[in-house]
C-alpha cells in the first residue's frame, strides 16, 4: 500500500496534494541529512497532531503526555531542529509551508526517494496512528540495525516501548520540587531503561543528572557507612563536574556521617549548581544485605525528601530509586524512603506492545504467532526481544525457535543457566522453586521465598501464592531441578 502511495506522490507529473505522509517524509529527509537521525516516536506524534491543527492540550489528552512536555520540550526541540535543517525559522504555525518547499525541491531526487524508503523502516502501524491492513508489507529487518538485547534500551531507540502512561507519570512527577520516584520491578523488566528515559527528559529542560548503579559498589565501601557516604558525595560531585571539597566540609570529630553528607549536599553540591538535580540510584536492592549502612543511608534519603517539601535548597533535588520487588529490610516506617514518593511498577508487555515490537522487527506475524510466543515467554521484555532478535538474525521459523527455546541449544540457554547457578547457591530456594514449576496450581510459599524468587524474576505472585513467570521457566526447571 505504501509503495503505490509513494510512487504517486513522487511522480514528476503528479498533481497530488501535499499530504501528511509527504510532510513526514520531507521532515525525515531534512533531519537525517542534517543530523543523521529520523523523527523519534514522540516527534512523529507531535508533527502529525500539528498537521491536523490540534492544540498541545488536545494532543496531550490523546497521547497521554503533559501539554507542557509536548510544547516546551518536544515541540521547541523539534521546531529548532527543523529550523536548522531547513535553514529558515520553523514554527507550529508555518511548518507545513516550510516542509512543502523542501518536498517540492527534493522530490525528484534519487537520494530523497531512497531515503524515504529507508525511513519507512521506522514508520510502523502504531506510530502513524492509522489503521494498517494486515496485507501490507512489513518493515524490512535487514534495514533496521538490530542491537543484541543485553542491556538497557536508549531513550530514543525505536526498540524502547513505552508502558501505559508510566513515562508520562514519571515526567509529571520529576518536575515537582523535592520529588521522589520509586521504580519497582524484577530483573530485566526495564528499570534502567526507564531511568534513562527520565534522565533524557530532564536534560531537555536543563536539569543536571546523576546516575549511580549501586550494584557496582565495592564491598569494602559498603561495610563502612562513612566510606559509603563519602563515596556518594564524591561520585555525585564528579558527575556534576565539581571539584572534590570533602576535606573542607567533612568533620568526623563533631558530626556523624549522615550529618556530614547532608551538609556537603546542602552547603556545596546543591549550592554550586543553579539547576535542579536528578539523582537516580539504580539497583538499590544490591545493598539491602549490608546492615552496616542501610538504616543510616535510607533514613538520610527519606530526610532529604522531607526537606524538599519545605526548604528551597532541597527542592532542587529530585530522587529516583530503582529496586527489585519488595524492600525486605527492617526500616522504621518514618525513616524509609520506600513508603514515600510515587511508586512505579513495571508490568510485562501486553499484546499491543508485543505487536509493536513485531512491527519494528519487520516480522510478518498474525495474532496467532504473537499468541504462540507469549504462551512461552509471556510479555517479559527481555525474553520477547531476544526471541525477535534470533528470528530476524537466523532463518528460523517461529515453530522451530519455540521447539528449542528451553533446551541447551536455544538462545535462552545462557540466561537459563545463569538462573540455575543462582538457585544452586541457595538450595532452599531451589527446592521451593522446584515445587512451583512442578505444580499445576499456584503454590503457597513463605514471605522470604516469595521475595527472593520474585526479585529474581522467576515467579509471578498471586496473593500469598506464586506461579512460574512463564512456561519457558517451567519447562527448563522441570528438567534441570532434579
Amino acid at each position: 500500500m505504501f509503495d503505490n502511495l509513494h510512487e504517486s506522490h513522487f511522480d514528476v507529473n503528479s498533481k497530488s496534494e501535499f499530504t501528511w505522509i509527504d510532510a513526514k517524509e520531507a521532515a525525515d529527509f531534512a533531519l537525517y541529512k542534517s543530523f543523521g537521525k529520523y523523527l523519534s516516536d514522540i516527534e512523529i506524534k507531535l508533527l502529525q497532531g500539528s498537521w491536523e491543527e490540534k492544540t498541545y492540550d488536545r494532543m496531550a489528552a490523546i497521547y497521554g503526555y503533559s501539554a507542557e512536555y509536548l510544547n516546551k520540550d518536544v515541540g521547541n526541540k523539534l521546531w529548532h531542529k527543523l529550523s536548522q535543517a531547513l535553514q529558515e525559522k520553523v514554527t507550529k504555525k508555518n511548518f507545513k509551508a516550510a516542509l512543502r518547499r523542501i518536498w517540492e525541491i527534493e522530490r525528484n531526487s534519487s537520494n530523497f526517494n531512497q531515503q524515504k524508503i529507508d525511513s519507512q523502516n521506522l514508520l510502523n502501524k502504531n506510530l502513524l496512528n492509522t489503521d494498517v491492513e494486515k496485507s501490507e508489507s512489513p518493515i524490512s529487518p535487514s534495514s533496521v540495525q538490530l542491537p543484541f538485547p543485553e542491556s538497557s534500551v536508549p531513550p530514543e531507540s525505536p526498540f524502547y516501548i513505552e508502558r501505559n502512561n508510566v513515562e508520562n507519570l514519571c515526567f509529571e512527577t520529576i518536575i515537582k520540587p523535592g520529588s521522589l520516584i520509586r521504580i519497582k520491578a524484577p530483573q530485566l523488566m526495564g528499570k534502567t531503561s526507564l531511568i534513562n528515559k527520565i534522565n533524557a527528559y530532564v536534560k531537555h529542560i536543563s536539569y543536571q543528572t546523576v546516575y549511580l548503579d549501586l550494584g557496582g559498589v565495592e564491598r569494602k565501601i559498603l561495610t563502612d557507612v562513612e566510606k559509603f557516604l563519602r563515596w556518594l558525595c564524591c561520585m555525585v560531585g564528579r558527575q556534576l563536574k565539581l571539584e572534590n571539597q570533602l576535606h573542607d566540609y567533612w568533620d568526623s570529630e563533631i558530626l556523624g556521617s549522615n550529618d556530614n553528607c547532608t551538609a556537603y549536599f546542602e552547603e556545596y553540591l546543591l549550592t554550586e549548581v543553579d539547576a535542579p538535580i536528578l539523582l537516580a540510584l539504580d539497583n538499590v536492592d544490591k545493598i539491602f544485605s549490608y546492615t552496616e549502612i542501610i538504616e543510616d543511608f535510607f533514613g538520610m534519603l527519606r530526610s532529604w525528601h522531607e526537606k524538599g517539601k519545605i526548604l528551597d535548597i532541597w527542592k532542587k533535588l529530585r530522587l529516583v530509586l530503582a529496586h527489585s520487588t519488595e524492600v525486605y529490610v527492617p526500616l522504621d516506617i518514618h525513616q524509609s524512603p520506600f513508603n514515600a514518593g510515587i511508586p512505579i511498577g513495571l508490568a510485562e508487555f501486553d499484546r499491543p506492545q508485543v505487536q509493536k515490537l513485531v512491527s519494528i522487527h519487520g516480522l510478518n506475524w498474525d495474532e496467532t504467532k504473537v499468541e504462540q510466543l507469549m504462551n512461552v515467554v509471556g510479555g517479559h521484555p527481555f525474553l520477547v526481544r531476544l526471541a525477535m532478535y534470533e528470528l530476524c538474525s537466523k532463518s528460523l521459523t517461529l515453530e522451530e525457535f519455540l521447539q528449542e527455546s528451553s533446551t541447551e541449544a536455544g538462545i535462552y540457554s545462557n540466561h537459563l543457566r545463569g538462573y540455575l547457578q543462582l538457585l544452586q547457591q541457595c538450595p532452599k530456594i531451589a527446592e521451593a522453586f522446584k515445587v512451583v514449576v512442578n505444580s499445576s496450581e499456584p503454590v503457597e510459599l513463605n514471605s522470604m521465598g516469595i521475595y527472593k524468587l520474585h526479585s529474581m524474576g522467576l515467579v509471578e505472585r498471586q496473593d500469598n501464592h506464586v506461579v512460574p513467570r512463564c512456561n519457558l521457566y517451567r519447562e527448563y526447571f522441570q528438567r534441570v531441578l532434579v
Side-chain angles (χ1 to χ4, degrees):
M1 187 172 78
F2 281 126
D3 289 341
N4 294 334
L5 181 66
H6 292 159
E7 287 174 6
S8 65
H9 284 171
F10 292 92
D11 189 325
V12 175
N13 299 315
S14 172
K15 303 298 183 181
S16 300
E17 295 182 359
F18 182 61
T19 68
W20 151 243
I21 298 297
D22 300 327
K24 190 271 174 190
E25 289 173 345
D28 266 337
F29 175 81
L31 292 178
Y32 190 85
K33 188 175 181 181
S34 295
F35 305 109
K37 290 183 178 180
Y38 296 117
L39 291 161
S40 67
D41 292 8
I42 186 61
E43 288 173 337
I44 293 173
K45 291 178 180 179
L46 186 137
L47 194 67
Q48 186 177 12
S50 301
W51 177 269
E52 296 167 356
E53 299 183 352
K54 291 183 172 69
T55 64
Y56 287 117
D57 287 335
R58 180 59 181 155
M59 284 188 274
I62 294 172
Y63 300 138
Y65 296 90
S66 69
E68 182 180 18
Y69 170 62
L70 291 176
N71 182 0
K72 295 183 179 179
D73 184 9
V74 182
N76 284 348
K77 180 182 176 183
L78 177 59
W79 307 133
H80 179 68
K81 288 195 299 184
L82 285 173
S83 297
Q84 289 183 296
L86 301 180
Q87 297 184 351
E88 63 175 289
K89 179 68 174 178
V90 177
T91 68
K92 188 172 183 290
K93 293 182 179 180
N94 73 356
F95 78 95
K96 289 184 182 180
L99 290 178
R100 177 161 193 147
R101 281 191 284 274
I102 191 172
W103 176 75
E104 290 176 340
I105 293 171
E106 299 289 350
R107 62 176 172 165
N108 299 322
S109 162
S110 60
N111 288 337
F112 189 37
N113 283 289
Q114 180 59 48
Q115 189 171 309
K116 73 183 179 66
I117 294 172
D118 293 339
S119 67
Q120 183 61 41
N121 297 326
L122 299 179
L123 189 61
N124 58 58
K125 303 170 183 132
N126 295 321
L127 298 183
L128 274 175
N129 293 312
T130 57
D131 293 326
V132 184
E133 300 182 3
K134 292 181 182 178
S135 59
E136 287 179 17
S137 300
I139 304 167
S140 170
S142 62
S143 57
V144 177
Q145 296 297 319
L146 289 179
F148 186 79
E150 61 181 349
S151 59
S152 61
V153 181
E156 296 301 322
S157 169
F159 299 97
Y160 183 95
I161 303 299
E162 292 189 357
R163 277 9 194 258
N164 296 324
N165 209 38
V166 165
E167 287 80 5
N168 185 43
L169 176 58
C170 290
F171 297 158
E172 291 180 344
T173 299
I174 207 64
I175 62 174
K176 296 177 181 178
S179 55
L180 166 63
I181 295 175
R182 296 180 286 110
I183 304 171
K184 181 182 71 175
Q187 296 178 15
L188 301 173
M189 289 294 290
K191 297 188 295 297
T192 303
S193 298
L194 178 57
I195 289 176
N196 292 340
K197 194 79 168 178
I198 299 170
N199 278 347
Y201 170 70
V202 298
K203 282 181 179 178
H204 289 161
I205 53 177
S206 301
Y207 282 31
Q208 294 290 314
T209 63
V210 176
Y211 170 83
L212 297 176
D213 180 1
L214 299 189
V217 184
E218 295 180 40
R219 187 179 183 280
K220 66 180 181 180
I221 292 176
L222 294 173
T223 55
D224 185 317
V225 67
E226 177 149 346
K227 282 185 178 179
F228 176 67
L229 295 183
R230 287 175 69 92
W231 171 88
L232 176 69
C233 291
C234 179
M235 295 303 293
V236 171
R238 281 190 175 186
Q239 292 197 30
L240 295 175
K241 295 181 169 45
L242 295 175
E243 185 180 350
N244 186 339
Q245 297 283 352
L246 282 170
H247 59 281
D248 292 333
Y249 288 89
W250 207 273
D251 186 351
S252 298
E253 292 185 6
I254 300 175
L255 300 179
S257 300
N258 275 21
D259 289 335
N260 274 310
C261 184
T262 299
Y264 193 71
F265 268 75
E266 182 174 301
E267 298 173 16
Y268 180 52
L269 298 179
L270 294 175
T271 302
E272 289 293 315
V273 178
D274 292 333
I277 299 172
L278 170 62
L279 173 57
L281 302 177
D282 202 358
N283 292 311
V284 297
D285 48 297
K286 300 299 183 183
I287 69 172
F288 287 170
S289 60
Y290 293 92
T291 56
E292 302 91 342
I293 68 169
I294 55 174
E295 186 173 353
D296 286 340
F297 175 56
F298 291 133
M300 184 184 69
L301 293 182
R302 174 62 181 265
S303 75
W304 289 358
H305 175 57
E306 297 300 329
K307 288 174 185 288
K309 297 176 182 179
I310 55 176
L311 300 176
D312 288 342
I313 191 67
W314 286 99
K315 289 179 181 180
K316 294 169 64 175
L317 183 66
R318 320 294 164 87
L319 292 170
V320 175
L321 309 180
H323 58 101
S324 297
T325 68
E326 304 302 331
V327 184
Y328 208 84
V329 290
L331 294 173
D332 185 286
I333 189 172
H334 301 296
Q335 294 183 329
S336 172
F338 299 107
N339 55 15
I342 301 298
I344 300 293
L346 296 183
E348 292 190 347
F349 290 154
D350 57 23
R351 277 171 179 74
Q353 289 165 333
V354 173
Q355 184 62 60
K356 184 174 182 180
L357 274 174
V358 168
S359 300
I360 292 172
H361 283 80
L363 296 166
N364 190 18
W365 286 8
D366 56 19
E367 292 181 2
T368 301
K369 290 188 181 294
V370 173
E371 186 73 24
Q372 285 179 308
L373 177 63
M374 295 187 72
N375 280 340
V376 175
V377 300
H380 191 295
F382 172 73
L383 300 181
V384 168
R385 279 199 60 207
L386 198 57
M388 295 181 185
Y389 175 88
E390 180 80 345
L391 290 164
C392 289
S393 302
K394 298 180 180 178
S395 56
L396 283 176
T397 65
L398 177 60
E399 289 72 21
E400 290 170 335
F401 170 81
L402 295 178
Q403 188 174 5
E404 66 175 24
S405 61
S406 64
T407 70
E408 296 298 330
I411 195 172
Y412 297 124
S413 58
N414 288 336
H415 174 71
L416 295 169
R417 280 198 301 270
Y419 273 135
L420 179 60
Q421 290 173 359
L422 290 175
L423 289 171
Q424 288 172 338
Q425 296 170 15
C426 306
K428 290 184 178 180
I429 299 300
E431 189 62 31
F433 191 48
K434 178 181 176 182
V435 174
V436 173
V437 298
N438 284 294
S439 173
S440 58
E441 300 291 333
V443 174
E444 184 174 9
L445 298 177
N446 61 42
S447 57
M448 182 57 76
I450 294 175
Y451 162 72
K452 288 189 174 181
L453 287 172
H454 191 235
S455 65
M456 292 170 69
L458 288 172
V459 298
E460 287 277 16
R461 293 178 301 180
Q462 296 181 3
D463 298 323
N464 291 327
H465 297 69
V466 295
V467 295
R469 176 168 288 275
C470 59
N471 284 325
L472 174 73
Y473 294 163
R474 183 187 293 277
E475 293 172 11
Y476 177 79
F477 289 105
Q478 276 181 341
R479 177 166 56 84
V480 301
L481 290 179
V482 296

